[in-house]
Amino acid sequence: MRFHAALALAACLAPAVAIFEDDAHHIDFHHALIGRPKHDATFFQKPYAGSKASLLYTISQNNTIGAVNPKDGTLVWRHVPPADARGQTSLRAGEDQDTVVSAVGDRVTAWSASDGRIVWDARTPGATVEDLEILEQEDGITNSDSKDPIVLLSGAEQAIKRLDGKTGRVKWTFEDASGDTPFQLSSSPSTIYYISLHAPMLGGSKLRVTSISPVTGKKIDQYTLSSDGEIQNRDDILFAGANTAAPLLAWTDKARSVLKINIIGTKGVTSITPPSGEPVQDIILHAPNRINSLAHFLVEYKTRKGQAAEVYHVDLKKNNIKKAYDLPGLFGRGTFSVSTSDANVYFTRITLREVTVTSSASDKILGKWEVKGIASLVGSWPVQAVSEVVVKGGSATAVRTALYFSNGQWVLIRNGEVAWERPEFLYGITSATWAELAEQEALAHELEVEGHQNVVSAYVHRVSRHVRDLEQLPAWLQSIPNRVLSSVIGKNDESAIDEVQHDHFGFHKLVIVATEQGRLAAIDVGSQGKPVWNVDLHDLAPGVTFTAPSVKAFRGYVEVKDPASPSAWYVNATTGGLLSPVDLKHESPVTTDKNIITFDLLDGKLKGFLNSAQGSAEPIWTFTPPSGERITSYVARPSVDPVASIGRVLGDRRVLYKYLNPNLVLVTSVIEASQSASIYLLDSASGQLLHAVSHKDVDVTRPIPATISENWFSYSFTLSSSATSTRGYQLVISDLYESSLPDDRGPLGASSNSSTVQPSDAKGDSNKPYVLSQTFQIPEEISHMSVTQTRQGITSRELLVTLPNSNAIVGIPRAIIDPRRPVGRDPTAQEASEGLVRYTPHLLFDPKWHLNHKYELVGIKNVIACESGLESTSLVFAYGHDVFGTRVAPSFAFDILGKGFNKIQMLVTVAALFVGVLFVAPLVRRKQINTLWQA
Amino acid sequence: MKCSLFSLAGLASTALGARFALHVPNTQLVNPSTLPSSTHAILQSSGPPQEAYLTRSNSFNFYNVSAGSYLVTIHSRDALFEPLRIDVSLEEAVEGSGDKKEVIKSWQTFIGNEWDNKGESRGEGGNGVVLEARLLGKKYYFQERSGFSPLSFLKNPMMLMALFSMVLIFGMPKLMENMDPETRAEFEEMQKQSPLASGGAANPAQAMQNFDLASWMAGKTDTSNSRGHSPAPQGKKRG
């Protein structure tokens, strides 16, 4: 009940700065990412037996399990396992089952296929799951009720286990004490095959195949295959067919001159020679993974120029492999996919130009579609594909293929047309920065040129610039009727998205992002997060392996750096093209600062250097935490942080002056032994300690996010279990003022000049701020904090906190967490006029403060804010696992008309009033005349 | 019920620590079967918290929970849950037997309150106990746009006042006409007393037009200056 009351109170406190329902999904965007899908664990599957539509299931290389609607590419459900999962991950589904089973690290989990709920969960502490297969048939009989998964474990326990498909309980265990490296499981209708790499004393390794009875889990047979030293580790095995009618094992030599295939269960090895001509770069085997399909497979040969393929049939009775037909070699990159329909096997060949479907039985082309390319796929090629084919009366009537392209787009092509694309390359952004659009940059540059010239030449330059601008006048005049019409009818959203040029409000800003995969991309935050360009950093800088690239924006270009390399690369912000340092000279901004003090964390101490002379010179100041303390992080006040008012007007019209120091740094440090955390406020110019505070009973293993802006800072921590008074999470906010007294400017108030480098010299007392703090108990952990930014700083600010448990970003209005809220009493009339309400120790996050509303933002690492063209509005961009962007107006959108303003209604009202005046005017005139006569 | 909730088993033969489930009952407010699959419960003591996702049977299952006092928070996109305190302890089932068993107790707890300030019990028992996770309500993220509605327009006090005076101005003459002569005379007599009706009583609209608010406010009572020809219309005519 108390909770209800608190909730109601919080709701009353909150000024309604929530998102309007009709603005949601228009002003904001969310890329719910999965990452690069794993080819062998991506499939179309019906979510339950008898379902009409199928979903596209996948597990990505970062272990995210997801179900995507193949119609429009939206995510149906998704699950992100903890980041520390090791081993081979896989995702499998039994036919006609309502579950999909995943194996990640030490966990085997069955998920409800339609909504992603957990059905059962089995763990193997200490062991890792190497492989997972679903037992489709048992002694040749399909058990449609529930299909049991079999798992291969390594690590603490090397064994094969059969789990119950309904509960996850272990049915039997087959222990493998041979010490071989476990590789894979494969099943045929009657037997389970366990393939391991057997390393004999004399180099090389052999493949050991053990057959196990699916019913009892007892060993039936075992044999080894000699690979003639061609297989050294698991990566050398090209293909190990799982769950096929004829399970195959294929490997090749280093030169890819011969392909060797073994039908698992037999000892014979068939050698296949690739077609002569171009040297083969890669060989890929495509075989159906349905147990009751025909035992046909396709071998794809990739060469430098194109690809060719051969289709083979396996004769199960004679245990041999025969070539059926060739698919002609084609120039250009492409890929193949396998799909089945009943027992028939179809191969879909996808190139950049066309999609063709052939049956495995003959080389007749069953269907052919031209691919209509789209702009975002230019310069890339399909890497892997899964298909679904509809065949009626001997010809393919429809085909849809989910393709992963080399530029990281996951695309579905339906009958030759691109149905949707998912920008999976945006997964794992390590660094992001705001960049201005080229047009704005050009104007700013021109204005700067004028500013640095003498009056006459600046005037000539200006006039000539205006004359040049006249060229665009006719086009602008032509666009007026359209714009007026669309704005009245109310369809301006769509047009605004396309036209980056007509950006009146400065909402279209580019964010340049670099990912851990080494991709660099630009996203237009104003256009629903549309990727503008997308390049591979490895193309820009051959030979460098990017691990955690960082980006920094300059005027019109971006600097890219990586810890793996000492050099930096410069990239044009609008096109993504590489710039040579020569191009940059005339674009470099004019810096007037002579002395810049930089600081960094070195050897556990924070050190300040003059003119970034790190390493060589002596630091000009050093901040050493007390012994036993470890600095966990530091955060500086943003370099661009405009403040509109230097004071805060109180209810009685007196002024409390803000302590505004541009060089503030907030340092957080912890002591593990005593479970305490300390916060230090430093002046980065002088290295002076301005304020220090310490908290006991802090869980130092959890993050302590902090931020600093204007004249206040905030941080949050988790209370440890040793805390006796209360448990949970706390948020602390501190205001800095020049003096505790209103209308007083502290010790330096009277002096016209003061030095930040030596704040405490002759005056006797240093210019330390007066700090006012308040602590709030919050319902959940905060992983990151930042602050909204507006152009002039007039708009009140919002503290943006990332809640990893709620998958949300919450904007807490600054007025709510004001440390001046009166404690233990109701506010006086004067305090109430300042907007202060009585302090409550708990702060509940109102759902209306959530910037992301119904979106679920997974794994957000950082949130960056930027000013827009409007004072009321700040742009926000969040990245990490997912990508999210929105606009926030902490003090309402006071300088722009919202969607609530009905333009048609306004026009109708004006027209109605005009008509009314036309009617009423003669009446009034007559009446007035009558009055005069009557009087 | 308990059996179906714990139909899940660890592959490991030895289970350390306690295991229990939090079950979300069906309520009028929210049907737990409609909650998204990302709904999860967090068991926080110190260090990395333990996490459990919602299962198909609307429960959260925790395994291998070591003894201690835990804060449980449940996070969902669509609904708000009550925070819980769960204490796991090892107790001897029979005094002196030396056979220790896990005992799990749960209470509701309150944010910003002392840890010992426990609320109602939400169930207790041995290993495999099913505790209750209560839903408090739905989350509403969006703000209603205050759209135009004729009713709210009419409810405005300014509008009501305007409408009332309109009724007076236009309705009164009609009312007067329908009155019998005696009552009308009486009424006119009454109106002469009232300051509003200082002008021609037959034409209240005109009287209203010529009403001298300033003089009325000043308490002026003589009616000599207002006999229908106020300065304004005359001035207009001459101009």
Short mmCIF file of all heavy atoms in Angstrom, two decimals, chain A residues 425 518-522 533-540 571 575-577:
data_model
loop_
_atom_site.label_atom_id
_atom_site.label_comp_id
_atom_site.label_asym_id
_atom_site.label_seq_id
_atom_site.Cartn_x
_atom_site.Cartn_y
_atom_site.Cartn_z
N PHE A 425 25.24 -4.82 -38.98
CA PHE A 425 26.63 -4.37 -38.83
C PHE A 425 26.77 -3.37 -37.69
O PHE A 425 27.88 -3.10 -37.25
CB PHE A 425 27.14 -3.77 -40.14
CG PHE A 425 26.36 -2.57 -40.61
CD1 PHE A 425 26.69 -1.31 -40.19
CD2 PHE A 425 25.28 -2.72 -41.47
CE1 PHE A 425 25.97 -0.21 -40.61
CE2 PHE A 425 24.55 -1.64 -41.88
CZ PHE A 425 24.90 -0.37 -41.45
N GLY A 518 35.10 -3.69 -36.74
CA GLY A 518 35.89 -2.87 -37.64
C GLY A 518 35.09 -2.24 -38.76
O GLY A 518 35.58 -2.07 -39.86
N ARG A 519 33.86 -1.89 -38.48
CA ARG A 519 33.07 -1.17 -39.47
C ARG A 519 32.87 0.26 -39.00
O ARG A 519 32.76 0.53 -37.81
CB ARG A 519 31.72 -1.85 -39.68
CG ARG A 519 31.80 -3.20 -40.30
CD ARG A 519 30.55 -3.54 -41.07
NE ARG A 519 30.54 -2.90 -42.37
CZ ARG A 519 31.09 -3.44 -43.47
NH1 ARG A 519 31.65 -4.61 -43.42
NH2 ARG A 519 31.06 -2.80 -44.61
N LEU A 520 32.83 1.16 -39.97
CA LEU A 520 32.59 2.57 -39.68
C LEU A 520 31.33 2.95 -40.43
O LEU A 520 31.21 2.65 -41.62
CB LEU A 520 33.79 3.39 -40.16
CG LEU A 520 33.88 4.83 -39.72
CD1 LEU A 520 34.18 4.90 -38.23
CD2 LEU A 520 34.96 5.55 -40.49
N ALA A 521 30.39 3.57 -39.74
CA ALA A 521 29.13 3.88 -40.39
C ALA A 521 28.62 5.23 -39.90
O ALA A 521 29.01 5.70 -38.84
CB ALA A 521 28.09 2.80 -40.11
N ALA A 522 27.74 5.84 -40.71
CA ALA A 522 27.10 7.09 -40.31
C ALA A 522 25.60 6.84 -40.26
O ALA A 522 25.03 6.21 -41.16
CB ALA A 522 27.41 8.19 -41.31
N TRP A 533 26.03 5.91 -44.70
CA TRP A 533 27.08 5.13 -45.37
C TRP A 533 27.65 4.14 -44.39
O TRP A 533 27.45 4.25 -43.19
CB TRP A 533 28.16 6.02 -45.99
CG TRP A 533 28.75 7.07 -45.10
CD1 TRP A 533 28.40 8.39 -45.06
CD2 TRP A 533 29.79 6.91 -44.12
NE1 TRP A 533 29.14 9.05 -44.11
CE2 TRP A 533 30.01 8.17 -43.53
CE3 TRP A 533 30.54 5.83 -43.69
CZ2 TRP A 533 30.95 8.37 -42.53
CZ3 TRP A 533 31.49 6.04 -42.70
CH2 TRP A 533 31.68 7.29 -42.13
N ASN A 534 28.40 3.19 -44.93
CA ASN A 534 28.85 2.07 -44.12
C ASN A 534 30.09 1.51 -44.80
O ASN A 534 30.02 1.04 -45.92
CB ASN A 534 27.68 1.06 -44.06
CG ASN A 534 28.09 -0.33 -43.68
OD1 ASN A 534 29.15 -0.55 -43.08
ND2 ASN A 534 27.26 -1.29 -44.03
N VAL A 535 31.25 1.63 -44.17
CA VAL A 535 32.49 1.16 -44.80
C VAL A 535 33.20 0.20 -43.84
O VAL A 535 32.97 0.22 -42.64
CB VAL A 535 33.44 2.33 -45.18
CG1 VAL A 535 32.85 3.17 -46.26
CG2 VAL A 535 33.79 3.17 -43.97
N ASP A 536 34.06 -0.60 -44.43
CA ASP A 536 34.87 -1.51 -43.65
C ASP A 536 36.21 -0.85 -43.39
O ASP A 536 36.90 -0.44 -44.32
CB ASP A 536 35.05 -2.81 -44.44
CG ASP A 536 35.60 -3.92 -43.58
OD1 ASP A 536 35.99 -3.63 -42.43
OD2 ASP A 536 35.64 -5.07 -44.05
N LEU A 537 36.55 -0.71 -42.12
CA LEU A 537 37.81 -0.05 -41.79
C LEU A 537 39.00 -0.84 -42.31
O LEU A 537 40.05 -0.28 -42.60
CB LEU A 537 37.93 0.12 -40.27
CG LEU A 537 37.14 1.26 -39.65
CD1 LEU A 537 37.24 1.20 -38.15
CD2 LEU A 537 37.66 2.59 -40.14
N HIS A 538 38.82 -2.15 -42.46
CA HIS A 538 39.93 -2.96 -42.95
C HIS A 538 40.24 -2.64 -44.41
O HIS A 538 41.35 -2.88 -44.87
CB HIS A 538 39.62 -4.44 -42.77
CG HIS A 538 39.41 -4.81 -41.33
ND1 HIS A 538 38.16 -4.94 -40.79
CD2 HIS A 538 40.30 -5.01 -40.33
CE1 HIS A 538 38.29 -5.24 -39.51
NE2 HIS A 538 39.56 -5.28 -39.19
N ASP A 539 39.25 -2.11 -45.14
CA ASP A 539 39.52 -1.67 -46.51
C ASP A 539 40.30 -0.36 -46.50
O ASP A 539 41.13 -0.11 -47.38
CB ASP A 539 38.20 -1.46 -47.27
CG ASP A 539 37.49 -2.77 -47.54
OD1 ASP A 539 38.14 -3.81 -47.37
OD2 ASP A 539 36.29 -2.73 -47.88
N LEU A 540 39.98 0.51 -45.54
CA LEU A 540 40.67 1.79 -45.47
C LEU A 540 42.11 1.62 -45.00
O LEU A 540 43.00 2.33 -45.44
CB LEU A 540 39.95 2.74 -44.51
CG LEU A 540 38.50 3.08 -44.79
CD1 LEU A 540 37.98 4.05 -43.76
CD2 LEU A 540 38.35 3.68 -46.18
N VAL A 571 38.42 10.36 -42.12
CA VAL A 571 37.34 9.93 -43.01
C VAL A 571 36.36 11.09 -43.16
O VAL A 571 36.02 11.77 -42.19
CB VAL A 571 36.63 8.69 -42.41
CG1 VAL A 571 35.40 8.34 -43.20
CG2 VAL A 571 37.58 7.51 -42.36
N THR A 575 30.59 11.27 -46.69
CA THR A 575 30.65 10.22 -47.69
C THR A 575 31.29 8.94 -47.19
O THR A 575 31.08 7.88 -47.75
CB THR A 575 31.45 10.69 -48.91
OG1 THR A 575 32.77 11.00 -48.46
CG2 THR A 575 30.83 11.92 -49.54
N GLY A 576 32.09 9.03 -46.18
CA GLY A 576 32.79 7.84 -45.70
C GLY A 576 34.08 7.58 -46.44
O GLY A 576 34.70 6.54 -46.27
N GLY A 577 34.48 8.52 -47.31
CA GLY A 577 35.72 8.34 -48.08
C GLY A 577 36.94 8.68 -47.23
O GLY A 577 36.89 9.53 -46.34
#
